[in-house]
Amino acid sequence: MKFFADTAVVEEIAELNELGIVDGVTTNPSLILKSGRDILEVTKEICDLVDGPVSAEVVATTADEMIAEGRKLAKIADNIAVKVPLTWDGLKACKTLSSEGNMVNVTLCFSANQALIAAKAGATFISPFIGRLDDINLDGLDLIADIRTIYDNYNFKTEILAASIRTVNHVSECARIGADVMTAPPSVIKKLASHPLTDNGLEAFMKDWAKTGQNIL
Ligand code: G3P
């Protein structure tokens, strides 16, 4: 499963990149607001830092305007994935932009049928929002499993990009189900390395080591 960083904060991406675990980045208007940066400038910086797809989202609501914005965003770098919302106009923009050779990430997906029609419209990535379904007492992971089954039934090449990930359990469950990609906030990605038994075990080893009076270096 590929790991995308769900942030527009360059420093956070650079920190994760030290481990070589950033396969791509996703941004959205809310994350651009949070970064406090200009969308074109910060997206360019991110594209220079990361080799994989960097999603940059359009903000228009009509197909023609989304296409114009998408073309402008795609010019930032070769690894831009233009992100469009899962509306009828968004699907029209997806069809045009992907036909022109751009990667397209169709976002705000909340149903298997939405994922199906996005794949047929040429989406490179489909972004089902797990956490927001959980927020309304539905099961976001069930949606990932349903989309996996449907895409595999018909050999769709659209990659399932699990988004709105809030917990480390979301990450392991997405990997178990077979999502192609998960995008998570850096704070969640860093938590993947944590376990209290690792901390306890290390503390005990350090205490015993101190008693030996030895040094390795
Ligand atoms: O990748 C989508 C993500 O940024 C939305 O997350 O937690 O606002 O639902 P959230």
Side-chain angles (χ1 to χ4, degrees):
M1 184 169 69
K2 284 176 260 188
F3 278 19
F4 286 5
D6 197 27
T7 179
V9 177
V10 176
E11 296 73 22
E12 291 182 344
I13 299 164
E15 186 185 5
L16 295 174
N17 225 7
E18 285 170 8
L19 289 192
I21 57 172
V22 183
D23 301 305
V25 172
T26 49
T27 66
N28 61 38
S30 303
L31 292 172
I32 294 293
L33 173 68
K34 216 166 155 187
S35 76
R37 300 282 310 276
D38 172 83
I39 182 170
L40 299 178
E41 282 175 19
V42 76
T43 306
K44 173 81 178 100
E45 271 181 46
I46 295 169
C47 288
D48 287 345
L49 197 61
V50 173
D51 292 333
V54 174
S55 289
E57 189 159 342
V58 302
V59 290
T61 52
T62 65
D64 286 348
E65 288 172 305
M66 283 188 217
I67 292 164
E69 288 181 353
R71 285 176 180 150
K72 181 165 181 181
L73 292 170
K75 281 200 189 110
I76 295 173
D78 288 344
N79 54 333
I80 285 285
V82 179
K83 209 171 176 188
V84 299
L86 214 159
T87 58
W88 195 258
D89 279 81
L91 291 173
K92 285 204 270 184
C94 171
K95 180 70 190 161
T96 300
L97 291 165
S98 62
S99 305
E100 292 173 355
N102 300 296
M103 290 186 282
V104 180
N105 177 357
V106 180
T107 191
L108 290 167
C109 171
F110 294 98
S111 78
N113 278 330
Q114 286 183 311
L116 178 56
I117 197 166
K120 291 190 73 74
T124 315
F125 301 103
I126 184 69
S127 290
F129 275 32
I130 300 178
R132 292 192 193 184
L133 283 168
D134 291 356
D135 286 344
I136 57 163
N137 275 345
L138 294 172
D139 190 335
L141 290 165
D142 280 352
L143 176 59
I144 300 295
D146 287 346
I147 300 171
R148 181 74 283 153
T149 302
I150 291 167
Y151 281 8
D152 289 350
N153 281 348
Y154 299 100
N155 205 19
F156 282 118
K157 297 296 176 221
T158 302
E159 293 191 40
I160 302 173
L161 197 174
S164 182
I165 283 190
R166 309 267 178 79
T167 68
V168 289
N169 284 348
H170 277 156
V171 178
S172 49
E173 285 303 300
C174 282
R176 192 179 62 77
I177 293 165
D180 300 289
V181 190
M182 73 88 197
T183 189
S187 58
V188 173
I189 294 177
K190 288 185 79 177
K191 270 190 211 148
L192 296 174
S194 299
H195 199 290
L197 291 180
T198 304
D199 297 340
N200 294 348
L202 187 59
E203 195 183 336
F205 284 157
M206 292 304 99
K207 274 188 188 151
D208 288 342
W209 180 250
K211 287 179 202 158
T212 69
Q214 298 179 42
N215 290 303
I216 293 177
L217 293 176

